[in-house]
Amino acid sequence: MFVVIFKARPGEQGDEYAAMVQQLRELAFERYHCIDFIAASSGEMEVAISYWRTELDILNWKSDPQHLKAQQLGRAQWYLDYQVEVLSLERSYQFSQKQII
């Protein structure tokens, strides 16, 4: 499994941005086998973490025409700066206090 970490300082983000984020999220799951997608913001920083089956899925996602358009808009207005990290996940575990009845 692979993980993409996207960290950014937002610029001007309006309704068009919110709509594009939703469309791209759906596209990632439906066409490019995204396993999970988590986004959060803290202060001046946005962080999105997505999980993928293969690195090829990530590369195909990155070159999707709609995603390319979003990348251009991101550089032009939506982000002041950003960083993308692609990692290979070696281990994962979790804890939950949920009781199974």
Side-chain angles (χ1 to χ4, degrees), residues 71-90:
Q71 291 172 48
Q72 291 172 341
L73 288 167
R75 288 184 195 105
Q77 69 186 61
W78 292 338
Y79 298 110
L80 300 175
D81 52 55
Y82 65 83
Q83 176 182 359
V84 178
E85 299 171 324
V86 179
L87 309 139
S88 174
L89 182 65
E90 302 218 8

Side-chain angles (χ1 to χ4, degrees), residues 48-67:
I49 303 170
S50 55
Y51 297 84
W52 304 80
R53 293 181 328 158
T54 68
E55 191 169 14
L56 182 58
D57 289 335
I58 296 167
L59 293 171
N60 288 335
W61 158 247
K62 183 180 178 187
S63 63
D64 179 272
Q66 191 170 2
H67 194 208

Side-chain angles (χ1 to χ4, degrees), residues 1-7 25 29 34-41 46-52 83-85 87 89:
M1 184 179 337
F2 288 83
V3 180
V4 176
I5 302 171
F6 177 82
K7 297 183 271 188
R25 183 183 177 104
F29 283 105
C34 183
I35 297 167
D36 197 5
F37 187 97
I38 302 159
S41 60
E46 284 184 7
V47 178
I49 303 170
S50 55
Y51 297 84
W52 304 80
Q83 176 182 359
V84 178
E85 299 171 324
L87 309 139
L89 182 65

